[in-house]
């Protein structure tokens, strides 16, 4: 049973904090300054994010987290996504930390996560394209990793990569300190920092490898996806509202654009798309707590397809209805569009999502 | 890709163009165009020189003014072939906009002074129509020209002015009579951009380029001999400007070029046999064919003496929709490979420009009369829904 109850107190509080954070630190002009500032440094507000408990939100209390449900974290992540924050909150809080909390033994999880959740150490899950494991070889007690991971968000700021690897068909997770690999930073289209990670024969001790982690990896991938869908939903909502405001404000032919029926219908469609996105992300978040893994994956994939489609449609119309203003870098619109494109492209787009939907029993 | 224009003469003409391009096009420019990279002024200027030397730079101009004397059909073939061979599409502000307007409405002195320099590329023109408050409703423009000894003093601001940073001349619509119906108080003037009172602010677009600008005009003096045609007839000339290229606005050559690039990208990454990608590519190829067939049918009607009016709006609407769909398909094929910024170490070929092209080409359905406005034109002027 998927429950669609409205958000509780705790959820709203977290959301309000996020709104304040965005208002204080992510005004467009300030953000532009951050984008042009020197690369490679620590994410600007990481410590603050850790203090607010954001990095620990969806991690179980036994592993040192806050133990919030996915549904409770969706609204605040939506705000951060719509607010265009640049710190790799999703990759850490929604992907790496919860995956490790499930994959590691409880003592190891607690030890490892302590510095991650406190913000001291930025650790990331890194896999090959489409989440495929990286090839690994065995030499005595060592594991040798080869190949290149083309795109890891936040990679240049990470101190440890948890590499998803595969040795003779057995998948495992192994931590590699950033010093052991070759990390090249580059900006993504939306301004976030990413890195290309060349493993170049990095060695690690087989004793550090975590096997039997498939369930945790699958859970972590689904949860990370819910995080990205939350961001997308927040962006769809904000873009819809911005466009709606503009249609009331901008006048041509002696009246506000919103008085033209064509525009009204386009806005009504955008509203429908926003509502659908909101429902689907709630559904996916709820599915995360269910026992039925196949159903969980299917519902997350379904939300992914729908929200990708709606994001594309909304961004197309939002740009179009803003006219020339929509294609500039001077309004938040253009920046939101790029963030949405980044989020929808990252995991291979709608076709990959449909494939996942079909595969889930 | 199937060419609909493939008679023996078409084939021979295509061959002539191929020979010319292979001798003249700079390999560096060719490589850039084939990858969808942005053009510099030099890329354009170099190619314009070659076309000009050959007499092909202004396909639609009459022979006596320096055009090649091509038929409408030959122009389509040439456009298609030049795109296919990865030549840079020259900006049309001089060659396709003010040039034809001066040929039609300019004084002999204006023609002698400006036309040769447009052909050679010595002058670079930009278009000063849109204003912050006058986009779709262009006729409400406010830049005003006030009468002074021997000419006019022009003040106001223009915006979205493409390539103004390269231009030394701007043709502007300005209000010369605020008292009459708004379309009837507009004139067209030619303004030297080096004059005092002309200033420019670049506008950064979301793809990071600075191809458009704001232009501020503060008491700029325009002598009477730089007014185009008659005072207060500017709206008529502006409409005529759009008429000149109306059978070319489907952008068939441009669509085919992108289709070819998307196909190659699919092939080189092993995605061409993926049934979804293959279906999408074929569907878009057929869409282009439908626009080409429609263009040819409308042209044939014109040749047979039928009057074709605002019907050509459909070419703009569908042409730009197809081109935008192609940029989206490129993104679908690229997946995360479209995300690294170009020129960064993260680049994944052949997708380094895929995102930029998607972002940049959103403009196609906005400028030159947005697709909403074009649909209104079809509905009112062709369908009679008023
Ligand atoms: C990249 C770029 C380059 C350009 N280059 C030039 C140039 O070189 N020179 C120049 O003069 N101009 C140029 N333009 C300006 C262009 O012509 C205008 O952007 C265009 O006319 C739309 O005006 P606007 O941007 O003010 O949008 P608006 O007119 O404000 O329209 C906003 C949205 O509302 C829609 N809309 C408006 N009216 C209606 C209606 N009645 N019914 C339904 N929908 C409606 C529009 O279609 C659009 O989607 C350029 C624009 C761009 C984006």
């Amino acid at each position: 049973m998927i429950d669609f109850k409205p958000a509780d107190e705790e959820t709203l509080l977290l959301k309000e904090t996020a709104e304040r954070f965005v208002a204080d630190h992510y005004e467009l002009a300030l953000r532009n300054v951050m984008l042009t500032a020197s690369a490679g440094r620590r994410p600007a507000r990481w410590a603050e994010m850790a203090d607010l408990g954001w990095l620990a939100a969806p991690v179980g209390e036994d592993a040192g987290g806050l133990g919030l449900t996915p549904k409770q974290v969706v609204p605040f992540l939506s705000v951060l996504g719509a607010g265009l924050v640049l710190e790799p909150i999703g990759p850490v809080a929604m992907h790496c930390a919860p995956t490790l909390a499930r994959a590691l033994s409880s003592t190891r999880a607690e030890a490892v996560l302590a510095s991650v959740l406190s913000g001291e150490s930025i650790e990331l899950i890194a896999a090959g394209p489409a989440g495929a494991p990286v090839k690994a070889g065995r030499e005595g007690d060592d594991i040798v990793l080869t190949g290149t991971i083309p795109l890891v968000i936040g990679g240049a700021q990470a101190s440890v990569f948890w590499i998803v690897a595969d040795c003779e068909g057995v998948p495992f997770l192994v931590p590699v300190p950033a010093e052991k690999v070759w990390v090249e930073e580059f900006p993504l289209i939306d301004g976030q920092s990413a890195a290309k990670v060349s493993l170049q024969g990095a060695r690690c001790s087989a004793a550090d490898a975590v096997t039997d982690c498939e369930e945790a990896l699958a859970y972590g991938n689904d949860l990370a996806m819910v995080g990205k869908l939350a961001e997308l939903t927040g962006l769809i909502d904000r873009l819809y509202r911005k466009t709606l405001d503009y249609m009331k404000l901008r006048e041509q032919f002696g009246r506000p654009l919103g008085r033209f029926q064509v525009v009204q219908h386009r806005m009504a469609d955008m509203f429908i798309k926003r509502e659908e996105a909101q429902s689907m992300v709630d559904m996916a978040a709820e599915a995360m707590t269910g026992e039925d893994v196949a159903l969980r994956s299917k519902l997350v994939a379904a939300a992914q397809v729908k929200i990708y489609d709606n994001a594309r449609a909304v961004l197309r119309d939002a740009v179009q209805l803003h006219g020339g203003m929509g294609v500039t870098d001077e309004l938040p619109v253009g920046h939101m569009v790029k963030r949405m494109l980044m989020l929808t492209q990252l995991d291979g787009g709608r076709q990959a999502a449909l494939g996942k939907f079909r595969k889930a029993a | 890709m199937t060419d609909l224009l493939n008679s023996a003469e078409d084939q021979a003409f295509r061959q002539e163009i191929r020979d010319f391009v292979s001798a003249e096009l700079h390999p560096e420019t060719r490589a850039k165009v084939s990858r969808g990279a942005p053009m510099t002024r030099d890329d354009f200027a170099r190619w314009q020189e070659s076309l000009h030397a050959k007499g092909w730079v202004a396909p639609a101009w009459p022979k006596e003014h320096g055009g090649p004397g091509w038929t409408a059909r030959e122009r389509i073939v040439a456009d298609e072939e030049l795109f296919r061979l990865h030549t840079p599409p020259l900006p049309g502000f001089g060659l396709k906009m003010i040039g034809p307007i001066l040929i039609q409405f300019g004084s002999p002195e204006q023609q002698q002074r400006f036309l040769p320099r447009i052909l050679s590329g010595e002058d670079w023109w930009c278009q000063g129509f849109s204003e912050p408050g006058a986009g779709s409703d262009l006729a409400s423009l406010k830049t005003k020209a006030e009468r002074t000894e021997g000419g006019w003093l022009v003040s106001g601001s223009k915006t979205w002015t493409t390539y103004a940073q390269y231009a030394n001349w701007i043709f502007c619509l300005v209000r010369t009579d605020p008292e009459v119906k708004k379309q009837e108080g507009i004139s067209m003037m030619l303004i030297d951009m080096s004059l005092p009172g002309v200033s420019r602010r670049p506008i950064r677009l979301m793809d990071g380029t600075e191809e458009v600008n704001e232009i501020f005009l503060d008491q700029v003096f325009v002598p009477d001999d730089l007014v185009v045609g008659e005072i207060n007839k500017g709206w008529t000339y502006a409409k005529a400007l759009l008429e000149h290229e109306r059978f070319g606005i489907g952008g068939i050559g441009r669509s085919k070029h992108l289709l070819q690039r998307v196909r190659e990208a699919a092939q080189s990454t092993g995605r061409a046999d993926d049934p979804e990608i293959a279906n999408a590519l074929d569907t878009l190829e057929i869409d282009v064919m439908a626009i080409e067939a429609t263009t040819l049918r409308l042209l044939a009607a014109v040749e047979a003496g039928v009057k074709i009016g605002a019907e050509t709006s459909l070419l703009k609407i569908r042409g730009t929709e197809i081109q935008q769909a192609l940029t989206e398909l490129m993104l679908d094929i690229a997946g995360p490979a479209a995300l690294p910024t170009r020129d960064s170490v993260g680049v994944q070929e052949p997708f380094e420009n895929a995102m930029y092209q998607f972002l940049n080409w959103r403009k196609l359905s906005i400028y030159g009369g947005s697709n909403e406005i074009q649909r209104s034109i079809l509905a009112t002027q062709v369908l009679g829904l008023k």
Side-chain angles (χ1 to χ4, degrees), chain A residues 222-289:
Chain A
D222 280 345
L223 186 66
M225 181 48 67
V226 169
K228 291 174 228 182
L229 297 179
E231 284 196 38
L232 274 169
T233 306
L235 285 155
I236 288 173
D237 174 59
R238 183 168 173 219
L239 202 46
Y240 155 77
R241 285 186 287 117
K242 286 261 174 231
T243 311
L244 186 60
D245 288 346
Y246 194 64
M247 292 301 99
K248 292 176 181 168
L249 193 78
R250 171 75 171 166
E251 291 192 9
Q252 288 289 278
F253 307 101
R255 50 184 160 155
L257 289 176
R259 293 265 294 278
F260 294 105
Q261 198 167 37
V262 167
V263 173
Q264 292 172 344
H265 288 187
R266 297 275 279 275
M267 288 312 302
D269 282 336
M270 209 185 282
F271 170 77
I272 293 172
K273 299 212 152 59
R274 177 188 79 148
E275 292 299 308
E276 285 181 335
Q278 188 62 60
S279 315
M280 291 303 264
V281 76
D282 283 354
M283 178 191 81
E286 269 295 299
M288 289 305 298
T289 48

Side-chain angles (χ1 to χ4, degrees), chain A:
Chain A
M1 240 306 273
I2 301 287
D3 180 2
F4 288 98
K5 270 205 300 286
D8 59 23
E9 275 299 297
E10 204 169 358
T11 308
L12 292 177
L13 218 65
L14 198 63
K15 179 172 171 245
E16 278 161 29
T17 322
E19 281 163 354
R20 257 197 317 278
F21 178 89
V22 166
D24 288 349
H25 305 310
Y26 271 96
E27 201 251 311
L28 196 61
L30 278 179
R31 183 176 184 271
N32 285 342
V33 172
M34 276 188 253
L35 285 181
T36 48
S38 66
R41 62 207 177 98
R42 283 184 72 76
R45 309 250 159 220
W46 199 245
E48 194 173 334
M49 290 180 153
D51 288 346
L52 289 166
W54 292 352
L55 306 184
V59 173
E61 281 166 314
D62 48 343
L66 301 184
L68 298 184
T69 63
K71 191 170 171 189
Q72 286 175 306
V73 298
V74 161
F76 103 91
L77 281 170
S78 295
V79 171
L80 294 183
L84 303 167
V85 302
L86 293 165
E87 290 83 354
I89 176 103
V92 173
M94 293 297 275
H95 197 192
C96 189
T99 303
L100 295 183
R102 291 212 163 199
L104 305 181
S105 67
S106 58
T107 40
R108 192 173 172 197
E110 217 179 326
V112 168
L113 287 177
S115 59
V116 174
L117 303 187
S118 70
E120 273 157 75
S121 173
I122 294 181
E123 308 196 4
L124 298 167
I125 306 278
V134 171
K135 282 275 156 278
R138 187 73 195 255
E139 283 182 24
D141 286 341
D142 282 350
I143 288 169
V144 182
L145 297 165
T146 47
T148 297
I149 300 175
L151 196 166
V152 183
I153 292 187
Q157 287 83 31
S159 29
V160 177
F161 295 100
W162 291 82
I163 309 281
V164 181
D166 173 310
C167 193
E168 287 157 10
V170 183
F172 61 93
L173 201 51
V174 65
V176 180
E179 312 83 75
K180 285 199 181 174
V181 293
W182 178 238
V183 178
E184 292 169 278
E185 181 174 27
F186 58 89
L188 296 183
I189 187 74
D190 70 322
Q192 278 195 87
S193 160
K196 178 156 103 181
V197 179
S198 310
L199 300 169
Q200 50 186 15
R203 276 170 187 276
C204 32
S205 161
D208 288 339
V210 187
T211 49
D212 283 332
C213 58
E214 281 154 292
E215 190 280 325
L217 284 175
Y219 175 85
N221 284 337
D222 280 345
L223 186 66
M225 181 48 67
V226 169
K228 291 174 228 182
L229 297 179
E231 284 196 38
L232 274 169
T233 306
L235 285 155
I236 288 173
D237 174 59
R238 183 168 173 219
L239 202 46
Y240 155 77
R241 285 186 287 117
K242 286 261 174 231
T243 311
L244 186 60
D245 288 346
Y246 194 64
M247 292 301 99
K248 292 176 181 168
L249 193 78
R250 171 75 171 166
E251 291 192 9
Q252 288 289 278
F253 307 101
R255 50 184 160 155
L257 289 176
R259 293 265 294 278
F260 294 105
Q261 198 167 37
V262 167
V263 173
Q264 292 172 344
H265 288 187
R266 297 275 279 275
M267 288 312 302
D269 282 336
M270 209 185 282
F271 170 77
I272 293 172
K273 299 212 152 59
R274 177 188 79 148
E275 292 299 308
E276 285 181 335
Q278 188 62 60
S279 315
M280 291 303 264
V281 76
D282 283 354
M283 178 191 81
E286 269 295 299
M288 289 305 298
T289 48
E291 299 285 304
D292 185 341
V293 173
L295 179 66
R296 180 192 80 201
S297 295
K298 189 161 189 117
L299 295 190
V300 171
Q304 202 180 334
V305 173
K306 190 77 215 169
I307 292 172
Y308 283 180
D309 283 353
N310 289 10
R312 276 246 185 122
V314 168
L315 75 85
R316 275 193 299 247
D317 272 1
V319 170
Q320 181 69 20
L321 289 174
H322 274 84
M325 293 309 291
V327 301
T328 73
D329 225 22
E330 299 183 351
L331 290 188
V333 176
H335 297 273
M336 288 192 266
V337 164
K338 286 186 274 187
R339 175 76 155 224
M340 288 162 91
L341 288 164
M342 191 282 288
L343 288 161
T344 51
Q345 293 292 117
L346 198 56
D347 295 275
R350 105 184 283 275
Q351 208 187 340
L354 260 184
K356 254 172 55 185
F357 179 79
R358 250 174 239 139
K359 231 173 67 192

Side-chain angles (χ1 to χ4, degrees), chain B residues 15-27 30 47 82 85 87:
Chain B
Q15 188 56 49
E16 193 187 345
I17 295 171
R18 279 199 285 272
D19 293 342
F20 164 72
V21 171
S22 74
E24 290 293 324
L25 182 62
H26 197 285
R30 180 187 188 282
W47 182 236
L82 289 172
L85 300 167
T87 68

